[in-house]
Amino acid sequence: MTDMLPDGVDAESLFSPFRNPSGLEAGAHSRRMAKFLPGRLHINTLMMQAGSTIAARCEWLVRNNSYASNASVAWAAQTVGTGIAPTVQHAEPALKEEIQQLWNDWVAESDADGLTDFYGQQRRASKSIFDSGEAFFRIRYRFAEDGLAVPMQLESIPSSQCPLWYNNVLTNGHIVRQGVEFDKIHRRVAYWMFRRNPTDRTDMIADPNLLVRIPSDQIIHIFDPVEPKQVRGVPKLAPAVAKLFLLDEYDDAELDRAKVQALFVGFIKKPTADSAVPLPIDPSSIDDMGNALLPMEPGGLQVLLPGEEIDFAQPTGVSGAYEAFQYRNLLAISAALGIPYQDLTNDLVQANYGSMRAGIIAFRRRVEQFQDSVIVHQLCRRVWSAWLDQAVLTGALTLPGYSANPRPYRRVEWIRPRWEWVDPLKDLTAEKLAVDAGFKSRGDVITALGMDPAETDARIAADEERETRLGIRIGTVNPVQADPATDPAEADPQPAKRPGVAR
């Protein structure tokens, strides 16, 4: 027996959006939404079709547009700052210090181009994700005689060196999608790249168009995935490209209009249409139609012939709505980029303590998500594991039991750069109250300030030992020897405690 539909209702009307105007407006084909018919294509398809154009436009804006350039620098400064640094978590203090010191020595040698250190490469990765959508590093293993603390370096590779258009089915059953080779269970096993950057015409090399296969354990590919199964990265700047470009053109038009209005002081009226301009005239000042062009200089006036008169120009100036129009468009761009308005524009005119703090807190959550899920997970962890392996293999470190179980040595805490608050006194006072009430540990506060708690405590202890040895009293201008008979503080055999430091 088959259930029947009610009279007057056919099956087609239930499934056809054109015949079913009721329901959610987002799915209706009413007059308002009739032209809104986007295709539901996966991000990989969209990037294959337009990824190169998107990246080219974003990179152009960063190089030429003041707001895009500032946003790119601000994004890298907020997400990486001076670097996200590891703190070794091994239980043995001496071994922990040895590993940490070797890492600190290698950081300055990490860049294969010798232009920056590892934390500078983090900044480069974050900026590349904003500008181009992704960043590539190749792990380059070196010889022991190269003199590096650990014979390993990272080579930066432009994203254009891995072609978005290259798709192929290999004889071993692997599939290459947008330059990335996947095995049969969808693991990334290799990257196909040009030997040199195809967009750099100064780099001469034989067979520049030859693609080479690089195993994935040598390539660090960093991007912020927005959809499942995404292969390549989308620039952070992409949602704001159209508005930034059109707003830039509008600004240029306003500037040109104001400039032309300022140059035209007045207009000469001749008594007859065929009145001639007296000679001699510089031939270069006559246009193709035979009209004489008077020099356009700010504040200049022309001597008139008898019968001629002059009307002074009355420039309109910039519209009173210009500022509000710019502000609203820049707010939309700020929202598209997920960057506070003041970081996009450096405009602090309308800012106050409350608004800036609210904006910083919201932005901080976004930044911490990006730091943990992208920079730390995709870049820092990969580099730390490869670096530790190479240090053990080359004898730079001797770690008992590492080959059988490397996990205890790979446990590190990645400390982010500290956040500068609008009013540090209020925030540090709140932190102190939380520590005193037992709601938070001193270590958490120190870590939030971008420092290693163990190293900070060691420095405090060393400072106090040195101060005691030299007779320095904190709070005095000059170190003096106190007299216990006249100074009650010195009569106490217990050393004075520093505010906020637990003993």
Side-chain angles (χ1 to χ4, degrees), residues 232-267:
R232 303 289 295 270
V234 181
K236 290 281 187 183
L237 188 60
V241 164
K243 276 192 177 293
L244 279 169
F245 180 70
L246 295 176
L247 191 62
D248 200 31
E249 286 193 322
Y250 170 70
D251 271 344
D252 287 343
E254 284 285 355
L255 184 61
D256 285 342
R257 183 177 67 83
K259 177 182 176 182
V260 171
Q261 285 186 345
L263 290 173
F264 279 111
V265 177
F267 304 92

Side-chain angles (χ1 to χ4, degrees), residues 180-182 186-191 216 221 223 230-231:
V180 184
E181 181 180 334
F182 294 88
H186 203 74
R187 292 179 302 186
R188 295 173 184 245
V189 294
Y191 287 81
S216 60
H221 182 197
F223 68 98
Q230 183 175 337
V231 176

Side-chain angles (χ1 to χ4, degrees), residues 159-299:
S159 60
S160 57
Q161 208 161 318
C162 186
L164 279 163
W165 50 261
Y166 183 56
N167 300 281
N168 198 5
V169 178
L170 305 180
T171 56
N172 59 359
H174 291 187
I175 298 176
V176 181
R177 302 170 58 195
Q178 299 180 337
V180 184
E181 181 180 334
F182 294 88
D183 63 10
K184 295 181 180 179
I185 58 174
H186 203 74
R187 292 179 302 186
R188 295 173 184 245
V189 294
Y191 287 81
W192 290 79
M193 294 187 172
F194 293 112
R195 297 179 65 188
R196 291 292 185 270
N197 184 3
T199 64
D200 186 356
R201 298 182 180 179
T202 67
D203 194 354
M204 306 295 182
I205 190 171
D207 298 326
N209 296 323
L210 179 64
L211 285 172
V212 295
R213 182 182 185 274
I214 306 175
S216 60
D217 59 359
Q218 298 180 24
I219 294 293
I220 301 175
H221 182 197
I222 313 152
F223 68 98
D224 190 4
V226 297
E227 292 187 22
K229 303 296 183 183
Q230 183 175 337
V231 176
R232 303 289 295 270
V234 181
K236 290 281 187 183
L237 188 60
V241 164
K243 276 192 177 293
L244 279 169
F245 180 70
L246 295 176
L247 191 62
D248 200 31
E249 286 193 322
Y250 170 70
D251 271 344
D252 287 343
E254 284 285 355
L255 184 61
D256 285 342
R257 183 177 67 83
K259 177 182 176 182
V260 171
Q261 285 186 345
L263 290 173
F264 279 111
V265 177
F267 304 92
I268 298 174
K269 291 183 178 181
K270 298 179 181 180
T272 59
D274 58 350
S275 297
V277 178
L279 296 175
I281 299 175
D282 185 0
S284 64
S285 66
I286 300 177
D287 65 12
D288 296 337
M289 303 299 293
N291 298 316
L293 303 176
L294 299 180
M296 295 179 64
E297 298 177 355

Side-chain angles (χ1 to χ4, degrees), residues 38 157-158 209 233 237 243 288 308 315 322 433 464 467 471 480 486:
I157 301 176
N209 296 323
L237 188 60
K243 276 192 177 293
D288 296 337
E308 293 181 339
Y322 174 80
L433 290 174
E464 291 195 337
E467 291 160 7
V480 294
T486 59

Side-chain angles (χ1 to χ4, degrees), residues 79 363-374 416 419:
T79 55
F363 182 52
R364 181 176 181 176
R365 292 194 182 100
R366 294 190 180 198
V367 166
E368 288 177 345
Q369 287 178 340
F370 179 81
Q371 289 172 333
D372 288 340
S373 62
V374 178
R416 311 180 187 92
W419 286 85

Side-chain angles (χ1 to χ4, degrees), residues 10 23 38 44 86 90 103 110 135 138 144 147 152 166 173 203 207 251 254 263 302 338 340 375 428 479 482:
D10 61 319
N44 292 336
H90 197 273
W103 168 265
S110 72
R138 184 173 184 180
M152 184 189 93
Y166 183 56
D203 194 354
D207 298 326
D251 271 344
E254 284 285 355
L263 290 173
Q302 183 73 20
I375 299 297
L428 288 177

